[in-house]
Amino acid sequence: MSRQPARPGPDRHHDHGTWLVEFTGRVLVVCPRCGGRALVAPLPRLPAPKYFSALLFQPRRLACAGCGAVAEWTAQQRGAGLVGAVPGGTEDPFFGRPLWLQTRCAGRILWAYDEAHVDALADHVGARLRERHASPTMAMFARLPVWMKSADRRDEVLAGLAKLRALAGRSAPADRSDAAHEHGFRPRHHGSLLFRGGPY
């Protein structure tokens, strides 16, 4: 794999309270059939959700352009509500497939959902000054592990993110990162529920 230069971040990064769920509209995963790159996205022709948190409840399709594999996911129903997916970790929150964008970095696994997620992380990691959001409880950047935010690791993490960006443009099974396997790094399900007024 040819190395790409790390994408430089801005001198100052302001956290606007971005949640990880905002990057779940497009998730690159390892295809369960051929091991190449597949895409997990909301079913076609669904209306855009009014709130980004609704992305965790939208029906999904896994599709591989390489081998034609297709699978669908729908949120489980609990009473009158839908049980939402839980983002985070090295497997996608809908099908549990290993993320395509994974690489070894600083003795850990660095991962992202898609190119936009990689770029957001690079902007934060590369910034020399980081301004936290007023309410950081669920904000993605505030919840990043310490090793990713360490100034001592900045260059190493940016190089890892550059590898992920390069991987996003590749799709063959042979292009799969040696880190793109199940690691069991998934959050516990917190049982989020959506009480909807009508069908998706």
Side-chain angles (χ1 to χ4, degrees):
M1 179 188 303
S2 62
R3 294 189 61 179
Q4 293 186 358
R7 178 174 180 265
D11 291 335
R12 180 189 300 262
H13 180 271
H14 180 72
D15 180 5
H16 296 284
T18 302
W19 288 25
L20 179 59
V21 63
E22 297 182 49
F23 296 99
T24 60
R26 185 173 182 274
V27 183
L28 303 178
V29 302
V30 175
C31 174
R33 182 191 292 173
C34 72
R37 186 193 68 200
L39 174 65
V40 173
L43 292 180
R45 296 179 294 279
L46 285 179
K50 185 175 181 181
Y51 303 104
F52 62 78
S53 57
L55 286 168
L56 298 178
F57 304 89
Q58 281 192 318
R60 298 284 169 140
R61 175 174 294 163
L62 181 155
C64 177
C67 71
V70 175
E72 292 193 356
W73 174 92
T74 55
Q76 294 181 347
Q77 192 151 0
R78 183 185 298 166
L82 296 176
V83 180
V86 181
T90 55
E91 285 84 45
D92 94 270
F94 305 98
F95 296 90
R97 295 298 304 156
L99 298 177
W100 180 257
L101 300 183
Q102 296 189 60
T103 189
R104 302 184 192 281
C105 179
R108 282 91 164 178
I109 301 296
L110 181 64
W111 57 268
Y113 287 148
D114 70 349
E115 303 93 326
H117 190 190
V118 172
D119 289 344
L121 291 172
D123 286 345
H124 179 78
V125 171
R128 302 291 171 176
L129 178 62
R130 301 167 187 159
E131 298 178 1
R132 296 186 66 176
H133 189 260
S135 302
T137 306
M138 294 300 294
M140 177 181 73
F141 298 118
R143 297 165 68 88
L144 290 177
V146 173
W147 67 270
M148 283 187 66
K149 297 185 284 187
S150 168
D152 293 338
R153 297 284 193 184
R154 179 181 287 116
D155 291 343
E156 194 172 357
V157 175
L158 287 174
L161 291 169
K163 289 182 180 179
L164 296 187
R165 194 174 300 105
L167 276 171
R170 301 178 178 185
S171 59
D175 296 327
R176 178 178 179 177
S177 166
D178 67 349
H181 298 277
E182 291 89 349
H183 301 288
F185 303 157
R186 300 191 70 189
R188 289 186 303 170
H189 203 296
H190 53 61
S192 56
L193 286 174
L194 171 70
F195 293 96
R196 57 185 184 175
Y200 275 118

